[in-house]
Amino acid sequence: MKIFQTHDKIKINNLLLIGAGLIGGSLTLALKQAHVSRHIIGVGRTPSVMDEALKLGIVDAAVSVDSPEFIDAVKTADVIVLAMPVGQTCTVCTQIAPHLQPDTIITDVGSTKASVYRDAHAALGDKVRQFVLAHPIAGREVNGPQAALADLYVNKKVMICPHETNHTDDVTTIAAMWQATGAQVYELSLTAHDEIFAAVSHLPHVLAYALMNHVADSDLSNDKFAMAGAGFRDFTRIAAASPEMWRDVCLNNKEAILRELDLYLAHTQQLRDDIAAERDADILAQFTKASEMRLAWGREQ
Amino acid sequence: MKIFQTHDKIKINNLLLIGAGLIGGSLTLALKQAHVSRHIIGVGRTPSVMDEALKLGIVDAAVSVDSPEFIDAVKTADVIVLAMPVGQTCTVCTQIAPHLQPDTIITDVGSTKASVYRDAHAALGDKVRQFVLAHPIAGREVNGPQAALADLYVNKKVMICPHETNHTDDVTTIAAMWQATGAQVYELSLTAHDEIFAAVSHLPHVLAYALMNHVADSDLSNDKFAMAGAGFRDFTRIAAASPEMWRDVCLNNKEAILRELDLYLAHTQQLRDDIAAERDADILAQFTKASEMRLAWGREQ
């Protein structure tokens, strides 16, 4: 893992944003505020969402997929940002491919990287060299363009996962774009990315969704929700995240997530058996280890 | 579940605090700030902790267990607050019992209620009628007297679980004491309390401890901790909580926690199998249900 040096400010004349939700919207708001982008065109599936994005200044214009304006926007884009759920990568890249110019850089914001590379490669062929994979580590418990914030990425981490056919200049441009939002940019391999985020992001999301549904399906569920406190609130905050995005993450980083889930479930089952057998020293040792690590981790953040 | 009416301000002349950590310390700081308590004597296992509590104004004097001063403090106390881990309830009540006067109220702050009643009854016999069980729903990711805050309980919930031999006046006094800290006080049965908090508090703590240890024991653990973001931070915040306190909670609410853990693990295993089989509609339905509930719950807080 390598941290990118801070680059000089870049200028992006024409940016095409595909998907104008929390993550993409926060990016363009930040780029506008930093005077990095000149003109931003947005594309999205839902007209009302795009109207909202236009009203909020996330995009300067909105076009429909496959319209002549969309083709023009692809042709004239300096940077195309894919900010829709990762499951749509192949479809979107297939729409872009025939009109993609050799100097345009494509990038994304997806939580899985090997699958985005695979799908982009399938749709773009050799032009995948123009695709710089990226992933900002930031989110909120609300979704959509109205959730976007110009300062969402300030002091947040962004992973860039260059692959072997990427041009260094393109990678540098995307790193500089993210640095302009206030983020710290790291370089990481696709495989390490997917393994790391399966553990510290994808797994906790699955566990938080499962806890909400477990409580909802259990006895006294209304009283449980009514009495839940700050611990429950923080633990389940990520369960409010976009269901479609996270369904796609689970399907597109399946192997790594299953590996983490199986190890986690075995770990928790062992702790369950320790509690059942009242192995108090083992329980205390486990809790102490976790608590000390969490306190140390908190101090480093 | 019944919410207590707000009572007139009470006055506690002599309060004896057993265990001067985050929870007990925040209580006495709040009572002092509200001019509810006159004189607070503290007892604890660790002299350095008691020195700290004295320095921070959590207690006005510190005495050693089984000293003549401790016996005097028990004899003259209007209210005795047990604020040590719940596993010490029987020991502490046994120390108090011979000196307990008929007008003194004992109360506690423990996260489990049936076990505290059982242990208090074993040690106090019929005098358990003087013991009003309580549990404030508040915490922080740091422990000890230096973590105590006078406003920790403002707008937080406090559960009071009266049992059949309690006098109504004593229950009312403890409700008024908590109301003076700014908390909202609810009445709940022991059994419902333990079932509800097994689900929304004890289970998430076990899951958060397990996640920290799972990540620590896995490949790339240093990179994983280094790259973890706000989702991981919030999910694992409660893993920093006191290991001893939570070991005691697990052992003292074992049946309810095992019931919740087993149902949760089955639920998560099902979701794991849905991901493995790429049952995308099922995954989306589960995530959507959880997300909508979490958003609705968040709005009600």
Side-chain angles (χ1 to χ4, degrees), chain A residues 159 207 213-214 217 225 227 233-237 239-240 260 262 264 272 286 289 291 294 297, chain B residues 159 207 213-214 217 225 227 233-237 239-240 260 262 264 272 286 289 291 294 297:
Chain A
M159 304 295 129
L207 299 177
N213 289 336
H214 158 66
D217 293 349
F225 285 124
M227 291 299 109
R233 179 196 67 212
D234 289 353
F235 187 97
T236 59
R237 184 180 62 80
E260 295 294 331
D262 287 342
Y264 176 80
R272 180 239 174 262
Q286 290 284 314
K289 178 179 163 187
S291 174
R294 182 56 180 75
W297 183 83
Chain B
M159 303 296 129
L207 299 177
N213 289 336
H214 158 67
D217 293 348
F225 284 125
M227 291 299 109
R233 180 195 64 211
D234 289 353
F235 187 97
T236 60
R237 184 180 64 79
E260 294 295 331
D262 287 342
Y264 176 80
R272 180 238 175 263
Q286 289 285 314
K289 178 180 164 188
S291 174
R294 182 56 179 76
W297 183 83

